Amino acid sequence: AQTVTQSQPEMSVQEAETVTLSCTYDTSESDYYLFWYKQPPSRQMILVIRQEAYKQQNATENRFSVNFQKAAKSFSLKISDSQLGDAAMYFCAYRSLGGSQGNLIFGKGTKLSVKP
Amino acid sequence: DTGVSQNPRHKITKRGQNVTFRCDPISEHNRLYWYRQTLGQGPEFLTYFQNEAQLEKSRLLSDRFSAERPKGSFSTLEIQRTEQGDSAMYLCASSSNGANYGYTFGSGTRLTVV
């Protein structure tokens, strides 16, 4: 079974600085998708960025980028020029292309605080 | 389309009572998912539908839980004989076909069993 591990329960960053959130996963599959979701205090999960495992190029969405290391099974999220609105829980998630396509597997999350 | 809608936002119930939650997905999304999230944890998968067919159920979904999606539109999640351990946020999400699509989540229903 696949697992997702986020080893940083909490992180803090100064406004306008850069922060990196870590995520590792375990799978025997070769094709899959990885996601980062943001959950602000209002509790609605928002998709931040996605990465297809077959793509070597790291995904980028404005101030958000990932460092995808397939061999190391690592998928970190970098937030540049941090803003107060980035404060939230961030969840890393894995989705299989195989049998369990309905099951998005989440890590336990990292709580990001942004200091003004 | 205003996104995924869940009702009610909050529900307090006494142990042993039955509760039902509703989810209205984005209209063009044919897949609908239910997740449960407890404090300090990531969401855990419960079940998902493709159109009206329930294609997968987690082992977390005990026989006290049942979900339906009549006509492939809205979905309901019912919990019978609620227990204190059922207290959690219940999240609904929808997506189009294709694993590359991220899910669109609703705001959730917070259940408190007293």
Side-chain angles (χ1 to χ4, degrees), chain B residues 1 3 7-8 17 19 23-24 37 40 53 66 73 76 82 87 93 96 108:
Chain B
D1 199 332
N7 288 288
Q17 297 293 305
V19 294
C23 172
D24 288 89
Q37 186 178 23
S66 62
S73 55
T76 58
T82 51
S87 295
S96 299

Side-chain angles (χ1 to χ4, degrees), chain A residues 39-81:
Chain A
Q39 190 175 40
S42 66
R43 306 293 286 182
Q44 186 165 15
M45 303 271 284
I46 302 166
L47 177 64
V48 174
I49 198 166
R50 71 168 68 92
Q51 174 79 43
E52 295 91 335
Y54 64 85
K55 287 188 178 180
Q56 292 189 349
Q57 186 174 6
N58 289 324
T60 299
E61 288 287 343
N62 301 314
R63 297 183 296 108
F64 299 87
S65 61
V66 298
N67 183 4
F68 173 50
Q69 301 289 327
K70 190 173 184 180
K73 297 179 182 175
S74 172
F75 183 61
S76 60
L77 174 70
K78 185 172 82 171
I79 306 174
S80 304
D81 185 25

Side-chain angles (χ1 to χ4, degrees), chain A residues 13-19 38 62-64 79-88 90 112-116:
Chain A
V13 63
Q14 204 72 34
E15 195 176 5
E17 297 293 308
T18 295
V19 65
K38 171 185 178 181
N62 301 314
R63 297 183 296 108
F64 299 87
I79 306 174
S80 304
D81 185 25
S82 296
Q83 301 174 359
L84 294 177
D86 294 334
Y90 285 82
L112 178 65
S113 302
V114 181
K115 298 179 180 177

Side-chain angles (χ1 to χ4, degrees), chain B residues 19-108:
Chain B
V19 294
T20 300
F21 311 139
R22 177 177 171 129
C23 172
D24 288 89
I26 292 173
S27 56
E28 59 266 29
H29 285 177
N30 60 346
R31 291 188 174 187
L32 185 148
Y33 314 84
W34 284 100
Y35 281 78
R36 182 174 70 186
Q37 186 178 23
T38 53
L39 203 60
Q41 301 293 319
E44 296 173 294
F45 171 75
L46 292 178
T47 188
Y48 98 96
F49 293 83
Q50 180 156 314
N51 301 313
E52 65 275 10
Q54 189 173 19
L55 295 187
E56 191 172 348
K57 291 194 290 186
S58 162
R59 282 173 291 180
L60 291 174
L61 212 66
S62 75
D63 56 5
R64 296 186 298 106
F65 288 68
S66 62
E68 294 183 340
R69 191 183 183 197
K71 302 179 182 178
S73 55
F74 70 92
S75 176
T76 58
L77 177 68
E78 181 183 17
I79 308 175
Q80 297 181 327
R81 306 181 302 281
T82 51
E83 302 172 355
Q84 286 191 320
D86 296 331
S87 295
M89 177 74 81
Y90 289 84
L91 298 171
C92 176
S94 68
S95 77
S96 299
N97 265 350
N100 59 318
Y101 290 99
Y103 298 2
T104 301
F105 281 85
S107 296

